[in-house]
Amino acid sequence: KTVPNNYVDNHFDLRDPDKLLGKTLVYLNKGKTDVVSRSLTILGHHLFGEEESVLINLLGQGEVAGQVLTSLQETCDKEGVKSALQSVKSVQVDIEDALLKTIQAEQNSFEKEMIDNQRNTYKQWNQDREDELKKQYETMQRNARIEAIEQTKKEISSAEEKLFFFDNVDTYEMEKVEKHTAWVRTLPRTDWNMKNYPMSKYYKKSTQDSSDRKVARWEKREMKRGPPK
């Protein structure tokens, strides 16, 4: 049985649209003190479902847009928040129009800079790409030249060996002897004298001739044939 994971990180686990919208409003208006930003921050905390004390503290910091106050009065069921709403000063502000003006001002302030940065980024990317392609091409050419030089050296060495073969016969013979001697040294040290080599009595070669030795078939065949004519 799988144990359910009841931990909620309030970020990646968010699925409720109200919580997602509320957290977005709080994030976008963080650190701003104007009426619209403060009002949207309060609305965001309300949608996210913050504690009653957080909303009461925010409501006591200043004026709030009338649209937000109306929304809170209609949807909030916390008694402390409802009591705090009675003492908050309402300001009639067109939030949509204020946001459009803010966006237009931000656009006028940063549009040219952002466009220039984007153009410079593309130019730098193209330059880096060209430099990397050039570097890779030079590396391939260098490797090809090195490979061609190595192949030429092998061919010259082979041709030289053929031309001066008979002049170097003595050298080849000496190398052969040296290689054979080195190979012999790798063999295990043992006495290969058959007289001292341990063998079964049946297979061990006798040192004395025996008259009752069994004659082999090939010897009988040779005796019948007689001496060669």
CSV table of all heavy atoms in Angstrom, one decimal, residues 120-151:
chain,number,residue,atom,x,y,z
A,120,ASN,N,22.0,42.6,-29.8
A,120,ASN,CA,23.4,42.4,-29.4
A,120,ASN,C,23.6,40.9,-29.1
A,120,ASN,O,24.6,40.3,-29.4
A,120,ASN,CB,23.8,43.2,-28.3
A,120,ASN,CG,23.8,44.7,-28.7
A,120,ASN,OD1,24.1,45.0,-29.8
A,120,ASN,ND2,23.7,45.6,-27.7
A,121,THR,N,22.5,40.3,-28.4
A,121,THR,CA,22.6,38.9,-28.1
A,121,THR,C,22.7,38.0,-29.3
A,121,THR,O,23.5,37.1,-29.4
A,121,THR,CB,21.4,38.5,-27.2
A,121,THR,OG1,21.4,39.3,-26.0
A,121,THR,CG2,21.5,37.0,-26.9
A,122,TYR,N,21.9,38.3,-30.3
A,122,TYR,CA,21.9,37.6,-31.6
A,122,TYR,C,23.2,37.8,-32.3
A,122,TYR,O,23.8,36.8,-32.9
A,122,TYR,CB,20.7,38.0,-32.5
A,122,TYR,CG,19.4,37.3,-32.1
A,122,TYR,CD1,18.3,38.1,-31.7
A,122,TYR,CD2,19.3,35.9,-32.2
A,122,TYR,CE1,17.1,37.4,-31.3
A,122,TYR,CE2,18.1,35.3,-31.8
A,122,TYR,CZ,17.0,36.1,-31.4
A,122,TYR,OH,15.8,35.5,-31.1
A,123,LYS,N,23.7,39.0,-32.4
A,123,LYS,CA,24.9,39.3,-33.0
A,123,LYS,C,26.1,38.5,-32.4
A,123,LYS,O,26.9,37.9,-33.1
A,123,LYS,CB,25.2,40.8,-33.0
A,123,LYS,CG,24.3,41.6,-33.9
A,123,LYS,CD,24.7,43.1,-33.9
A,123,LYS,CE,23.8,43.9,-34.8
A,123,LYS,NZ,24.1,45.4,-34.7
A,124,GLN,N,26.1,38.5,-31.0
A,124,GLN,CA,27.2,37.8,-30.3
A,124,GLN,C,27.1,36.3,-30.5
A,124,GLN,O,28.1,35.6,-30.7
A,124,GLN,CB,27.1,38.1,-28.8
A,124,GLN,CG,28.2,37.6,-28.0
A,124,GLN,CD,29.6,38.1,-28.4
A,124,GLN,OE1,29.7,39.3,-28.7
A,124,GLN,NE2,30.6,37.3,-28.5
A,125,TRP,N,25.8,35.8,-30.6
A,125,TRP,CA,25.6,34.4,-30.8
A,125,TRP,C,26.1,34.0,-32.2
A,125,TRP,O,26.8,33.0,-32.4
A,125,TRP,CB,24.2,34.0,-30.7
A,125,TRP,CG,23.9,32.6,-30.9
A,125,TRP,CD1,23.9,31.6,-29.9
A,125,TRP,CD2,23.5,31.9,-32.1
A,125,TRP,NE1,23.6,30.4,-30.5
A,125,TRP,CE2,23.4,30.5,-31.8
A,125,TRP,CE3,23.3,32.4,-33.4
A,125,TRP,CZ2,23.0,29.6,-32.8
A,125,TRP,CZ3,22.9,31.5,-34.4
A,125,TRP,CH2,22.8,30.1,-34.1
A,126,ASN,N,25.8,34.8,-33.2
A,126,ASN,CA,26.3,34.5,-34.6
A,126,ASN,C,27.8,34.6,-34.6
A,126,ASN,O,28.5,33.7,-35.3
A,126,ASN,CB,25.7,35.6,-35.6
A,126,ASN,CG,24.3,35.3,-35.9
A,126,ASN,OD1,23.8,34.2,-35.8
A,126,ASN,ND2,23.5,36.4,-36.1
A,127,GLN,N,28.4,35.6,-34.0
A,127,GLN,CA,29.9,35.7,-34.0
A,127,GLN,C,30.5,34.5,-33.3
A,127,GLN,O,31.5,33.9,-33.7
A,127,GLN,CB,30.3,37.0,-33.3
A,127,GLN,CG,31.8,37.2,-33.3
A,127,GLN,CD,32.3,37.4,-34.7
A,127,GLN,OE1,31.7,38.0,-35.5
A,127,GLN,NE2,33.5,36.8,-35.0
A,128,ASP,N,30.0,34.1,-32.1
A,128,ASP,CA,30.5,32.9,-31.4
A,128,ASP,C,30.3,31.6,-32.3
A,128,ASP,O,31.2,30.8,-32.3
A,128,ASP,CB,29.7,32.7,-30.1
A,128,ASP,CG,30.0,33.8,-29.1
A,128,ASP,OD1,31.0,34.5,-29.3
A,128,ASP,OD2,29.2,34.0,-28.1
A,129,ARG,N,29.3,31.5,-33.0
A,129,ARG,CA,29.0,30.4,-33.9
A,129,ARG,C,30.1,30.3,-35.0
A,129,ARG,O,30.7,29.3,-35.3
A,129,ARG,CB,27.6,30.4,-34.4
A,129,ARG,CG,27.3,29.3,-35.4
A,129,ARG,CD,25.8,29.4,-35.8
A,129,ARG,NE,25.5,28.3,-36.8
A,129,ARG,CZ,25.7,28.4,-38.1
A,129,ARG,NH1,26.2,29.5,-38.6
A,129,ARG,NH2,25.3,27.4,-38.9
A,130,GLU,N,30.3,31.5,-35.6
A,130,GLU,CA,31.3,31.5,-36.7
A,130,GLU,C,32.7,31.2,-36.1
A,130,GLU,O,33.5,30.5,-36.8
A,130,GLU,CB,31.3,32.9,-37.3
A,130,GLU,CG,30.1,33.3,-38.1
A,130,GLU,CD,29.9,32.4,-39.3
A,130,GLU,OE1,30.9,31.9,-39.9
A,130,GLU,OE2,28.8,32.2,-39.7
A,131,ASP,N,33.0,31.7,-35.0
A,131,ASP,CA,34.3,31.4,-34.4
A,131,ASP,C,34.5,30.0,-34.1
A,131,ASP,O,35.6,29.4,-34.3
A,131,ASP,CB,34.5,32.3,-33.1
A,131,ASP,CG,34.6,33.8,-33.4
A,131,ASP,OD1,34.8,34.1,-34.5
A,131,ASP,OD2,34.4,34.6,-32.4
A,132,GLU,N,33.5,29.4,-33.6
A,132,GLU,CA,33.5,27.9,-33.2
A,132,GLU,C,33.7,27.1,-34.5
A,132,GLU,O,34.4,26.1,-34.5
A,132,GLU,CB,32.3,27.5,-32.4
A,132,GLU,CG,32.3,26.1,-31.9
A,132,GLU,CD,33.4,25.9,-30.9
A,132,GLU,OE1,33.9,26.8,-30.3
A,132,GLU,OE2,33.9,24.7,-30.8
A,133,LEU,N,32.9,27.4,-35.5
A,133,LEU,CA,33.0,26.7,-36.8
A,133,LEU,C,34.4,26.8,-37.4
A,133,LEU,O,35.0,25.8,-37.9
A,133,LEU,CB,31.9,27.2,-37.8
A,133,LEU,CG,30.5,26.9,-37.5
A,133,LEU,CD1,29.6,27.6,-38.5
A,133,LEU,CD2,30.3,25.3,-37.6
A,134,LYS,N,34.9,28.0,-37.3
A,134,LYS,CA,36.3,28.2,-37.9
A,134,LYS,C,37.3,27.4,-37.1
A,134,LYS,O,38.2,26.8,-37.6
A,134,LYS,CB,36.6,29.7,-37.8
A,134,LYS,CG,38.0,30.1,-38.4
A,134,LYS,CD,38.2,31.6,-38.3
A,134,LYS,CE,39.6,31.9,-38.9
A,134,LYS,NZ,39.8,33.4,-38.9
A,135,LYS,N,37.1,27.4,-35.8
A,135,LYS,CA,38.0,26.6,-34.9
A,135,LYS,C,38.0,25.2,-35.2
A,135,LYS,O,39.0,24.5,-35.3
A,135,LYS,CB,37.7,26.9,-33.4
A,135,LYS,CG,38.6,26.2,-32.4
A,135,LYS,CD,38.1,26.5,-31.0
A,135,LYS,CE,39.0,25.7,-30.0
A,135,LYS,NZ,38.5,26.0,-28.6
A,136,GLN,N,36.8,24.6,-35.4
A,136,GLN,CA,36.6,23.2,-35.7
A,136,GLN,C,37.2,22.9,-37.1
A,136,GLN,O,37.8,21.8,-37.3
A,136,GLN,CB,35.1,22.8,-35.7
A,136,GLN,CG,34.5,22.9,-34.3
A,136,GLN,CD,35.0,21.9,-33.4
A,136,GLN,OE1,35.5,20.8,-33.8
A,136,GLN,NE2,35.0,22.2,-32.1
A,137,TYR,N,37.0,23.8,-38.1
A,137,TYR,CA,37.5,23.6,-39.4
A,137,TYR,C,39.1,23.5,-39.4
A,137,TYR,O,39.7,22.7,-40.0
A,137,TYR,CB,37.0,24.7,-40.3
A,137,TYR,CG,37.6,24.6,-41.7
A,137,TYR,CD1,37.1,23.6,-42.6
A,137,TYR,CD2,38.5,25.5,-42.2
A,137,TYR,CE1,37.6,23.5,-43.9
A,137,TYR,CE2,39.0,25.4,-43.5
A,137,TYR,CZ,38.6,24.4,-44.3
A,137,TYR,OH,39.0,24.3,-45.6
A,138,GLU,N,39.7,24.5,-38.6
A,138,GLU,CA,41.1,24.5,-38.5
A,138,GLU,C,41.7,23.2,-37.8
A,138,GLU,O,42.7,22.7,-38.2
A,138,GLU,CB,41.6,25.7,-37.8
A,138,GLU,CG,41.3,27.0,-38.5
A,138,GLU,CD,41.7,28.3,-37.7
A,138,GLU,OE1,42.0,28.1,-36.5
A,138,GLU,OE2,41.7,29.4,-38.2
A,139,THR,N,40.9,22.8,-36.8
A,139,THR,CA,41.3,21.5,-36.1
A,139,THR,C,41.3,20.3,-37.1
A,139,THR,O,42.2,19.5,-37.1
A,139,THR,CB,40.4,21.3,-34.9
A,139,THR,OG1,40.5,22.4,-34.0
A,139,THR,CG2,40.8,20.0,-34.2
A,140,MET,N,40.2,20.3,-37.9
A,140,MET,CA,40.1,19.2,-38.9
A,140,MET,C,41.2,19.2,-39.9
A,140,MET,O,41.8,18.2,-40.3
A,140,MET,CB,38.7,19.2,-39.6
A,140,MET,CG,37.6,18.9,-38.7
A,140,MET,SD,36.0,19.2,-39.5
A,140,MET,CE,36.1,18.0,-40.8
A,141,GLN,N,41.5,20.4,-40.4
A,141,GLN,CA,42.6,20.6,-41.4
A,141,GLN,C,44.0,20.1,-40.8
A,141,GLN,O,44.8,19.4,-41.4
A,141,GLN,CB,42.7,22.0,-41.9
A,141,GLN,CG,41.6,22.4,-42.9
A,141,GLN,CD,41.9,23.7,-43.5
A,141,GLN,OE1,42.3,24.6,-42.8
A,141,GLN,NE2,41.6,23.9,-44.8
A,142,ARG,N,44.2,20.6,-39.5
A,142,ARG,CA,45.5,20.2,-38.9
A,142,ARG,C,45.6,18.7,-38.7
A,142,ARG,O,46.6,18.1,-38.9
A,142,ARG,CB,45.6,20.9,-37.5
A,142,ARG,CG,46.9,20.7,-36.8
A,142,ARG,CD,47.1,21.5,-35.6
A,142,ARG,NE,46.0,21.3,-34.6
A,142,ARG,CZ,45.0,22.1,-34.4
A,142,ARG,NH1,44.9,23.3,-35.0
A,142,ARG,NH2,44.1,21.9,-33.4
A,143,ASN,N,44.5,18.1,-38.3
A,143,ASN,CA,44.5,16.6,-38.1
A,143,ASN,C,44.7,15.9,-39.4
A,143,ASN,O,45.4,14.9,-39.5
A,143,ASN,CB,43.2,16.1,-37.4
A,143,ASN,CG,43.1,16.6,-36.0
A,143,ASN,OD1,44.1,16.9,-35.3
A,143,ASN,ND2,41.8,16.7,-35.5
A,144,ALA,N,44.1,16.4,-40.5
A,144,ALA,CA,44.3,15.8,-41.8
A,144,ALA,C,45.7,15.9,-42.3
A,144,ALA,O,46.3,15.0,-42.8
A,144,ALA,CB,43.4,16.5,-42.8
A,145,ARG,N,46.4,17.1,-42.0
A,145,ARG,CA,47.8,17.3,-42.4
A,145,ARG,C,48.7,16.3,-41.6
A,145,ARG,O,49.6,15.7,-42.2
A,145,ARG,CB,48.2,18.7,-42.2
A,145,ARG,CG,47.6,19.7,-43.2
A,145,ARG,CD,48.3,21.0,-43.2
A,145,ARG,NE,48.2,21.7,-41.9
A,145,ARG,CZ,47.2,22.5,-41.6
A,145,ARG,NH1,46.3,22.8,-42.6
A,145,ARG,NH2,47.1,23.1,-40.5
A,146,ILE,N,48.4,16.2,-40.3
A,146,ILE,CA,49.2,15.3,-39.5
A,146,ILE,C,49.1,13.9,-40.0
A,146,ILE,O,50.1,13.1,-40.1
A,146,ILE,CB,48.8,15.4,-38.0
A,146,ILE,CG1,49.2,16.8,-37.5
A,146,ILE,CG2,49.4,14.3,-37.2
A,146,ILE,CD1,48.7,17.1,-36.1
A,147,GLU,N,47.9,13.5,-40.3
A,147,GLU,CA,47.6,12.1,-40.8
A,147,GLU,C,48.3,11.9,-42.1
A,147,GLU,O,48.9,10.8,-42.3
A,147,GLU,CB,46.1,11.9,-40.9
A,147,GLU,CG,45.8,10.4,-41.3
A,147,GLU,CD,44.3,10.2,-41.4
A,147,GLU,OE1,43.5,11.1,-41.0
A,147,GLU,OE2,43.9,9.1,-41.8
A,148,ALA,N,48.3,12.9,-43.0
A,148,ALA,CA,49.0,12.7,-44.3
A,148,ALA,C,50.5,12.6,-44.1
A,148,ALA,O,51.2,11.8,-44.8
A,148,ALA,CB,48.6,13.9,-45.2
A,149,ILE,N,51.1,13.4,-43.2
A,149,ILE,CA,52.5,13.3,-42.9
A,149,ILE,C,52.9,12.0,-42.4
A,149,ILE,O,53.9,11.4,-42.8
A,149,ILE,CB,52.9,14.5,-41.9
A,149,ILE,CG1,52.8,15.8,-42.6
A,149,ILE,CG2,54.3,14.3,-41.4
A,149,ILE,CD1,52.9,17.0,-41.7
A,150,GLU,N,52.1,11.4,-41.4
A,150,GLU,CA,52.4,10.1,-40.9
A,150,GLU,C,52.3,9.0,-42.0
A,150,GLU,O,53.2,8.1,-42.0
A,150,GLU,CB,51.4,9.8,-39.8
A,150,GLU,CG,51.5,10.7,-38.5
A,150,GLU,CD,52.9,10.5,-37.8
A,150,GLU,OE1,53.4,9.4,-37.9
A,150,GLU,OE2,53.4,11.4,-37.2
A,151,GLN,N,51.3,9.2,-42.9
A,151,GLN,CA,51.2,8.2,-43.9
A,151,GLN,C,52.4,8.3,-44.9
A,151,GLN,O,53.0,7.3,-45.3
A,151,GLN,CB,49.9,8.4,-44.7
A,151,GLN,CG,49.7,7.4,-45.8
A,151,GLN,CD,49.5,6.0,-45.3
A,151,GLN,OE1,49.1,5.8,-44.2
A,151,GLN,NE2,49.9,5.0,-46.2
